[in-house]
Amino acid sequence: MEEVVLEQVSKIYRNVRAMDNVSFEVNRGSIFAIIGPSGCGKTTTLRVIAGLETPDSGRIYIGGRDVTYEKPYERGAVMVFQNYALWPHMTVFDNVAYGLKISRRRLGLSKVDIERRVREVLELVGLSGMEGRYPHQLSGGQQQRVALARALAVEPRVLLLDEPLSNLDAKLRIRMRSELKRIQREAGITMIYVTHDQEEAMSLADKIAVMNSGKILQIGTPEEIYRRPRNLFVALFLGRTSAITGKYLGMEGRYAKISLGDQILVGAPMEELSQEEEAVAVIRPEDLEVVDEEDHGYILRGKVIFTMYLGHSRQALVDIGEGIRISISVNPRRTLGEKVKIRYSPDDILIYRIGEWKTLLQE
């Protein structure tokens, strides 16, 4: 069942459409991530759902109820901000209890009820025993948990998180991902999560929405978004890719052929293409394999012009002619100037029209 529904929601600041007819549904008890470049409208979307901004058009439903013009505290959605917004003069206990205390009469809570609830959520986020500490006595990860506990304490229907891990170091971010997922599952809460970190979204979310210029470009599972991006923007935004252009030569069965100098690349057409039209092939390094023989499969030939060691893998840049270069994962090490044969599957090569996305290839 849907916990949050947005129907054709728009928000305009002066002449900028921060949200442009945004529609999506978030299932109860799931994690829904919104990703996109800076300034695309991600945070505005969260603020509109939270009631911190009023939409110019459209409707917002939470738990089946129209909350479009309700006050923030009436709609059952709580936002965790990027900087955590903890009260520096309050202890962990008082920070977490703050929302409960100001809603005490409305919720009919006693002092004992508040203490019990605070201790429950502190245990849930792994901060039992730290009730008496102040924010400056906590690590970044602990401060993030306090902010999360404060939001969970009021038992919202929906938890809204705006880049909650961006202030943490790389190792702690990875650890906190799994902690966030555990907390969300144990609390059974619906979460809408905004991030610029694609890996973070892929590892956490049940569904992902890719946003750009105020519009939702695609919604799907992490695998759907990654393996079958709907347009060139989504394909280039997610993961490490090589984008190479060539003329569309027609179909070979269910695959499209494009020319790359004196070589031909065969891939899966993601849009309808016209003969001799300029097309773009999007290739991920992990989908290519350097082979010694070309006894079967589709092959590209090229020369290694650059290599780099990434710890978990080694990447090479290969010139396949006409100044066209692609990035590949290589193991074992390949040497500069070495000629290589690269095997690929046409199902992994995604071919798009350039169209409105031509400027992306020039950035």
Side-chain angles (χ1 to χ4, degrees), residues 135-182:
H136 74 272
Q137 297 174 311
L138 303 174
S139 68
Q142 290 168 335
Q143 290 181 31
Q144 194 266 348
R145 292 176 193 223
V146 174
L148 193 58
R150 181 177 58 187
L152 291 169
V154 297
E155 298 182 292
R157 297 188 70 106
V158 183
L159 193 60
L160 309 170
L161 297 101
D162 186 14
E163 308 244 21
L165 307 184
S166 63
N167 293 330
L168 307 180
D169 64 57
K171 278 190 176 181
L172 189 53
R173 275 204 309 271
I174 293 171
R175 193 165 83 231
M176 285 306 300
R177 283 180 207 163
S178 57
E179 280 296 292
L180 268 176
K181 194 146 191 170
R182 175 190 65 79

Side-chain angles (χ1 to χ4, degrees), residues 2 22-23 27 88 113 124 127 134 172 180 191 299 320 354:
E2 296 84 12
V22 170
S23 297
N27 292 333
D113 292 332
L124 179 64
L127 291 179
Y134 289 87
L172 189 53
L180 268 176
M191 184 183 291
I299 297 292
I320 59 174
I354 290 184

